[in-house]
Amino acid sequence: MKKWVLGGAAALLMSVAAMAAPAPFGLEIGKASIQDMKAAHSAKSAGTNAYSGGDMYELDVSRIEFEGLKSVLVIFNPSGKVEAVVATLNKDRFDAVAKGLSGKYKTVSKQLPFVGNKKMVWADGNTEIVLDAPHLSFDMTMQYATKDLLRKFNQTSSDNSKAKAKSEASQL
């Protein structure tokens, strides 16, 4: 009987862990609050995000032990929950970071030319993780974002492009 109970408890714990959203730098996407972030990190306000409508904060990366980390921006929704975490890192860390992400998340796409822009995308539930290393840059970005925020960003970008094209056409 004890084996069944212990086995069931272990299976339950593993399923709960599997359901947890990604948590870059300890900030669970869609769940961590501004208070959670402030309890774990030193941060300063970076204004309001145009796409989420929530607050943004820059973390003090000197207090985060992650090789090559240059900056971290945390974007919240209006309810104060994390919508995205965007980090800038040294590009020479691409292979190591990609390996770590590939071990945790399902790979959706990858573009890994010998020379040129490198990009990999992973998915985990409602979160998309993108590692993007432009060829002519020394930096790369690692972005964790909810699909809802990405939808808002893409819609706003599309609307802005259409408005710009309409405005230019009216001037002809």
Side-chain angles (χ1 to χ4, degrees):
M1 178 72 174
K2 288 182 182 179
K3 288 182 182 179
W4 289 91
V5 173
L6 290 175
L12 179 63
L13 287 174
M14 289 188 330
S15 66
V16 169
M19 292 189 320
F25 309 109
L27 302 171
E28 189 172 352
I29 303 295
K31 297 204 173 58
S33 67
I34 293 172
Q35 293 76 17
D36 295 335
M37 179 208 54
K38 288 182 176 180
H41 297 282
S42 175
K44 66 178 179 179
S45 176
T48 302
N49 186 270
Y51 305 102
S52 75
D55 294 335
M56 296 188 300
Y57 289 86
E58 293 178 14
L59 301 185
D60 179 359
V61 296
S62 69
R63 296 180 180 204
I64 300 173
E65 291 187 34
F66 195 94
E67 186 181 335
L69 187 62
K70 293 184 174 186
S71 69
V72 176
L73 180 68
V74 183
I75 300 170
F76 292 88
N77 63 23
S79 300
K81 301 295 182 188
V82 174
E83 283 279 312
V85 175
V86 182
T88 303
L89 303 103
N90 290 332
K91 187 168 76 173
D92 62 3
R93 299 268 301 138
F94 186 91
D95 292 336
V97 173
K99 182 178 179 183
L101 291 169
S102 293
K104 291 181 78 171
Y105 308 112
K106 179 184 172 201
T107 302
V108 174
S109 69
K110 54 183 165 182
Q111 299 168 318
L112 302 171
F114 183 69
V115 176
N117 299 336
K118 291 183 178 183
K119 183 176 184 178
M120 289 187 72
V121 179
W122 296 267
D124 186 69
N126 189 41
T127 304
E128 184 173 283
I129 302 112
V130 178
L131 189 61
D132 189 16
H135 176 61
L136 295 176
S137 176
F138 293 109
D139 297 334
M140 66 177 177
T141 58
M142 178 176 64
Q143 171 186 288
Y144 290 72
T146 63
K147 291 178 181 176
D148 185 47
L149 180 62
L150 294 172
R151 227 182 339 270
K152 289 176 189 173
F153 172 78
N154 291 333
Q155 183 63 49
T156 302
S157 296
S158 175
D159 292 348
N160 289 344
S161 293
K162 289 176 185 174
K164 182 180 176 186
K166 185 177 180 179
S167 173
E168 289 176 354
S170 72
Q171 296 181 47
L172 298 177

